[in-house]
């Protein structure tokens, strides 16, 4: 009969073998693997032994808990604090065993408190421990909790261990996917890293997406416009693709951003007009509509021939033709307004010149004449 709650100071495993010996440890693990449910009552005792002064006792307890966790990880959650202490021990075997068990408890919310400790082990002297730590972080897969170690994860993108870099990239991408606003303060670092490391393809896609999404909001728009501008002329296709998508969405949804763009990046206007003019005949209805809206807001006359062709083409669906018609009207109106303002500016300039030659005395005479007229006007009482 298996003792469900073995005394923590017992010298034997119930069959005459010392559990601290390799043979005793193997015997316990074999028995747990055969029927882990028989050992549920022993878990508190194993948890207590994680604090034992004897290292062998701590390791034995951790291995036993790991064997139970293989089939019943939720039962072992109370051991997490003790296991986190174990991975801070100087002995590499303790760290390795502790991480191995923690990796099996990756669904436990309680593991969040240990993430800062685990992330430090990415730089352990033992390569196996580095990789165990990286796998444990990725397996946890609670992106909202990664925020507390985001700086360390980004630093790990430069790690010499390929697996560590890969796992760090996966964790960062999961953060971006869940809440892209969290990553915005780190964009400069991420973009710099991506530009110098061709192996970060997944991160490149995700970073492109967040810039594309974020730019449609007012927050940090100027900074994001700078990023999009750089990406638009980047040598990597994926960057250029996201930049075009970002500008297209921004200019179709936020016409007020056009003035900002013209003021800060005037050299990009002809590039965008050319890109969107080409895409205005794209097969994708959503893309075509957004490109047409963007062209209308940019207000550049060079887009008119393409837009007018779309308006005149009865084979094009009505929604697209309507969008093109509105864009044409907007560009024409912009053109007329610009012409009117130019003429008005010239007119105002001419009037200023005439006013400079006009005798001031004549104005004074007119003023006196008006005063005389008003003085001769009868009061209401006289009627």
């Amino acid at each position: 009969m298996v003792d469900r709650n073995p005394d923590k100071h017992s010298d034997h495993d119930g069959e005459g073998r010392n559990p601290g010996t390799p043979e005793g440890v193997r015997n316990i693990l074999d028995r747990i693997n055969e029927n882990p449910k028989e050992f549920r009552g022993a878990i508190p005792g194993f948890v207590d032994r994680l604090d034992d002064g004897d290292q062998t006792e701590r390791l034995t307890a951790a291995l036993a808990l790991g064997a139970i966790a293989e089939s019943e990880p939720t039962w072992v959650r109370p051991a997490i604090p003790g296991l986190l202490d174990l991975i801070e021990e100087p002995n590499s075997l303790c760290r390795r065993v502790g991480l191995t068990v923690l990796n099996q408890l990756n669904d436990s919310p309680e593991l969040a408190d240990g993430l800062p400790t685990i992330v430090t082990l990415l730089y352990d002297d033992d390569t196996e421990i580095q990789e165990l730590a990286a796998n444990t972080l990725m397996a946890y897969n609670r992106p909202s909790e990664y925020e507390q170690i985001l700086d360390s994860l980004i630093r790990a993108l430069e790690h010499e261990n390929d697996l560590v870099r890969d796992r760090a990239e996966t964790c960062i991408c999961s953060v971006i996917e869940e809440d892209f606003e969290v990553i915005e303060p780190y964009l400069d670092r991420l973009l710099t890293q991506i530009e110098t490391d061709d192996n970060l393809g997944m991160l490149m896609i995700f970073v492109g997406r967040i810039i594309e999404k974020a730019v449609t909001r007012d927050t940090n728009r100027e900074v994001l416009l700078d990023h999009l501008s750089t990406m638009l002329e980047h040598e990597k296709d994926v960057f250029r693709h996201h930049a075009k998508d970002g500008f297209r969405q921004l200019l179709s949804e936020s016409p007020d951003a056009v003035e900002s763009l013209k003021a800060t990046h005037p050299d990009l206007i002809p590039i965008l007009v050319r890109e969107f003019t080409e895409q205005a005949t794209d097969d994708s209805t959503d893309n075509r509509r957004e490109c047409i809206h963007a062209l209308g807001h940019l207000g550049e006359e060079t887009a008119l021939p393409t837009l007018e062709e779309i308006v005149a083409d009865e084979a094009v669906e009505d929604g697209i033709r309507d969008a093109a018609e509105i864009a044409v009207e907007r560009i024409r109106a912009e053109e007329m307004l610009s012409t009117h303002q130019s003429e008005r500016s010239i007119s105002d300039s001419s009037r200023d010149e005439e006013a400079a030659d006009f005798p001031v005395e004549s104005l004074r005479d007119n003023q006196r004449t008006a005063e005389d007229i008003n003085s001769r006007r009868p009061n209401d009482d006289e009627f």
Side-chain angles (χ1 to χ4, degrees), residues 122-142:
L122 296 177
Y123 295 92
D124 196 275
D125 292 335
D126 187 322
T127 301
E128 184 180 347
I129 290 175
Q130 293 176 8
E131 296 184 353
L132 275 169
N135 284 328
T136 301
L137 289 172
M138 187 183 73
Y140 184 56
N141 196 26
R142 292 177 186 267

Side-chain angles (χ1 to χ4, degrees), residues 104-275:
Q104 295 172 286
L105 305 177
N106 56 68
D107 283 334
S108 306
E110 298 88 344
L111 197 58
D113 293 337
L115 295 183
T117 302
I118 296 171
V119 80
T120 62
L121 296 181
L122 296 177
Y123 295 92
D124 196 275
D125 292 335
D126 187 322
T127 301
E128 184 180 347
I129 290 175
Q130 293 176 8
E131 296 184 353
L132 275 169
N135 284 328
T136 301
L137 289 172
M138 187 183 73
Y140 184 56
N141 196 26
R142 292 177 186 267
S144 59
E145 298 294 350
Y146 288 146
E147 187 176 353
Q148 61 178 311
I149 58 168
L150 199 49
D151 189 79
S152 297
L153 289 172
I154 294 173
R155 187 161 63 92
L157 293 174
E158 301 180 72
H159 204 287
E160 60 184 10
N161 188 315
D162 291 343
L163 185 140
V164 172
R165 287 202 308 273
D166 178 76
R167 301 299 185 259
E169 181 184 17
T170 302
C171 291
I172 293 168
C173 289
S174 68
V175 174
I176 294 172
E177 191 167 31
E178 179 161 290
D179 184 2
F180 67 86
E181 293 183 26
V182 171
I183 212 82
E184 283 188 49
Y186 302 91
L187 278 176
D188 284 327
R189 285 177 61 188
L190 289 172
L191 284 167
T192 300
Q193 186 64 34
I194 290 168
E195 289 173 359
T196 57
D197 190 343
D198 291 332
N199 295 316
L200 299 174
M202 179 169 62
L203 187 60
M204 185 188 303
I205 293 171
F206 274 81
V207 168
R209 282 179 189 167
I210 65 167
I211 294 177
E212 179 185 318
K213 288 181 180 178
V215 78
T216 57
R217 300 180 297 112
D218 291 332
T219 309
N220 297 328
R221 178 173 288 170
E222 295 302 325
V223 174
L224 293 168
L225 280 175
D226 286 339
H227 286 310
L228 276 181
S229 302
T230 302
M231 289 164 61
L232 187 64
E233 300 178 278
H234 203 280
E235 62 180 12
K236 294 179 179 177
D237 290 339
V238 66
F239 268 154
R240 293 198 300 275
H241 173 76
H242 283 303
K244 292 173 189 177
D245 285 350
F247 275 123
R248 187 184 70 235
Q249 292 179 44
L250 172 67
L251 297 173
S252 71
E253 297 175 18
S254 309
D256 58 301
V258 173
E259 294 306 316
S260 177
L261 187 61
K262 287 183 175 180
T264 57
H265 301 86
D267 53 315
L268 291 183
I269 301 301
I271 298 174
L272 291 172
V273 172
R274 184 180 67 247
E275 291 288 348

Side-chain angles (χ1 to χ4, degrees), residues 360-377:
V360 175
E361 194 60 36
S362 297
L363 291 175
R364 289 175 181 163
D365 290 343
N366 284 343
Q367 185 178 2
R368 282 195 295 272
T369 302
E371 289 172 351
D372 292 341
I373 292 172
N374 286 331
S375 66
R376 292 195 296 270
R377 182 173 294 163

Side-chain angles (χ1 to χ4, degrees), residues 245 248 279-280 282 284-292:
D245 285 350
R248 187 184 70 235
Q279 292 181 42
D282 194 282
S284 169
T285 300
D286 290 337
N287 282 356
R288 292 186 72 181
R289 188 178 286 108
E290 284 187 354
C291 287
I292 289 168

